[in-house]
Amino acid sequence: MGTPAFSSRRPANAAQPGAGTAALTDALHRPLRDLRISVTDRCNFRCTYCMPREVFGPGFAFLPHREVLTFEEITRLARIFVAHGVEKIRITGGEPLVRRDIEKLVAMLSAVPGLHDLTLTTNGALLKKKARALKEAGLQRITVSLDSLRDEVFMAMNDVNFPVRGVLEGIEAAAAAGLHPIKINMVVKRGVNDDDVVAMARFFQGTGHIVRFIEYMDVGTTNGWRMSDVVPAAEIVRRIAAELPLEPVEPDYYGEVANRYRYQDGSGEIGIIASVTIPFCRDCTRARLSAEGKLYTCLFTDVGHDFRALLRNGGTDAQLAAFLQSVWRVRDDRYSEIRTQETAHVRPKVEMSHIGG
Ligand code: SAM
Ligand code: SF4
Ligand code: SF4
């Protein structure tokens, strides 16, 4: 026993969207439920799969501060999005903890009526310093990225020589502050850190934290992605289950991105985000707001809808709402489902560090 069949994403009894809200739905009948807000395009890491140093070097033109949305602008948009069905907001980046006074934004967003879930994704480098302030400001949960437990591998991947210990201290501080359970994101790249998958699962087993193994994706155009670099989800599950017996868990909610598995001995669970080998576009309820206020309806598009222009040109709430409706109603993105088609490879895409994961 031990190796579960790798199931397709959606069980027949997964919760359906729209209960209780006048749902805004897109062209493929998908509601708007999640908003990821990038608060900066800057980062203190140079992960080779996200912001390769050759591209994001000293000469790279990051957004000037005046072009980045203020906390007031972000919060105003968040209210409008929540009124249109958004229940969950994830603060991301770039690295969100390098944005000055980020806990103030957390406090402002956590006061938005109707928002059920406020979370943040970080590389963890500044988390030891920030965890308590984030919790006190109203952050409910946190996701910390960590790609290996071995310094030589992790430092090569973050490319700024940041040690594993620093991230683990951030995770400990977050847990001590009450941001529990913590999700740990590990991007798995063949020949780079795939041998660390079982060690990562074992390390966090029994801690209450949930490791989520992420298939390396072809986001943006700078990371030199090749299909042969991807370790398929089924292989990740097989490798872990061979040592730590697993069984599948039903999704918690409609639109959940991770396939969940629990340890058969009851010592916790893991998630697998299989966006390459098992696309989940048909349940995709996510919108992404870039640091300069453009809305992207898919991770794999270069078309951003400019909310900042409307915000700064005196747009009313009604005009902002109408703009959101006009964008979402015609949305028909499903890149992951058509990735293998010829045209998908050549289309321009926004960088992950620009709109967050
Ligand atoms: N800087 C923060 C961090 O690293 O957690 C937040 C932003 S980062 C873009 C969000 C998530 O996207 C991280 O977990 C990161 O590992 C993941 N990510 C970045 N590039 C990726 C890629 N090419 N494929 C899969 N995941 C990726
Ligand atoms: Fe920075 Fe996160 Fe991208 Fe790494 S994955 S370069 S930490 S934004
Ligand atoms: Fe959503 Fe686009 Fe990813 Fe499909 S490819 S799941 S539409 S973000």
Side-chain angles (χ1 to χ4, degrees), residues 19-317:
T21 40
L24 172 64
T25 50
D26 70 10
L28 302 176
H29 311 292
R30 297 167 299 187
L32 172 62
R33 284 280 176 274
D34 311 82
L35 178 62
R36 300 184 177 206
I37 302 176
S38 173
V39 294
T40 178
D41 60 338
R42 291 163 202 254
C43 187
N44 45 0
F45 282 12
R46 284 292 175 274
C47 302
T48 50
Y49 54 74
C50 178
M51 294 179 76
R53 185 176 285 288
E54 313 81 70
V55 178
F56 296 89
F60 186 81
F62 289 101
L63 290 170
H65 291 294
R66 65 177 181 287
E67 291 194 14
V68 173
L69 291 191
T70 64
F71 291 166
E72 287 72 21
E73 288 170 331
I74 291 173
T75 307
R76 185 168 169 217
L77 287 181
R79 281 177 188 278
I80 290 164
F81 277 68
V82 169
H84 285 80
V86 164
E87 297 173 342
K88 174 174 168 184
I89 289 182
R90 177 176 296 280
I91 301 172
T92 178
E95 171 49 40
L97 301 191
V98 304
R99 176 94 187 242
R100 194 185 304 154
D101 298 330
I102 186 68
E103 56 277 18
K104 287 192 183 151
L105 177 66
V106 170
M108 290 162 76
L109 290 177
S110 68
V112 171
L115 181 64
H116 298 316
D117 194 7
L118 180 61
T119 181
L120 179 148
T121 303
T122 173
N123 62 27
L126 298 171
L127 190 53
K128 189 177 176 187
K129 229 188 294 179
K130 287 276 186 181
R132 190 156 298 281
L134 291 169
K135 173 68 184 174
E136 283 168 4
L139 192 70
Q140 292 163 338
R141 301 185 299 113
I142 199 158
T143 299
V144 183
S145 303
L146 179 59
D147 295 327
S148 176
L149 292 164
R150 289 185 291 156
D151 265 337
E152 68 275 23
V153 176
F154 184 54
M155 287 176 176
M157 289 181 84
N158 65 51
D159 209 12
V160 293
N161 281 331
F162 196 84
V164 173
R165 185 72 238 151
V167 180
L168 294 180
E169 285 173 3
I171 292 171
E172 283 158 20
L179 291 165
H180 198 83
I182 296 167
K183 288 184 179 155
I184 317 287
N185 276 1
M186 173 181 180
V187 176
V188 183
K189 200 171 167 191
R190 171 122 22 229
V192 176
N193 65 342
D194 55 327
D195 285 344
D196 298 355
V197 158
V198 177
M200 187 71 88
R202 205 186 288 282
F203 185 83
F204 288 104
Q205 190 182 16
T207 61
H209 308 328
I210 300 167
V211 183
R212 304 191 318 164
F213 300 91
I214 304 177
E215 286 179 347
Y216 171 47
M217 289 187 288
D218 50 334
V219 281
T221 51
T222 59
N223 65 8
W225 183 90
R226 291 169 310 173
M227 187 66 202
S228 54
D229 293 329
V230 178
V231 182
E235 180 182 331
I236 296 174
V237 173
R238 204 164 45 240
R239 283 167 81 162
I240 297 171
E243 300 199 31
L244 310 168
L246 292 170
E247 60 196 14
V249 184
E250 299 284 278
D252 255 355
Y253 54 88
Y254 177 88
E256 186 174 25
V257 294
N259 285 282
R260 298 165 61 206
Y261 292 83
R262 69 177 147 243
Y263 296 112
Q264 285 180 12
D265 67 3
S267 57
E269 68 173 73
I270 60 166
I272 314 276
I273 301 181
S275 32
V276 177
T277 61
I278 310 177
F280 38 83
C281 300
R282 72 188 164 99
D283 293 340
C284 181
T285 55
R286 288 177 296 286
R288 295 176 158 86
L289 185 66
S290 71
E292 86 271 50
K294 287 194 176 150
L295 190 73
Y296 292 85
T297 55
C298 178
L299 190 48
F300 302 93
T301 176
D302 71 333
V303 181
H305 304 275
D306 191 357
F307 276 75
R308 190 188 66 195
L310 195 50
L311 276 170
R312 294 191 180 173
N313 289 326
T316 62
D317 282 1

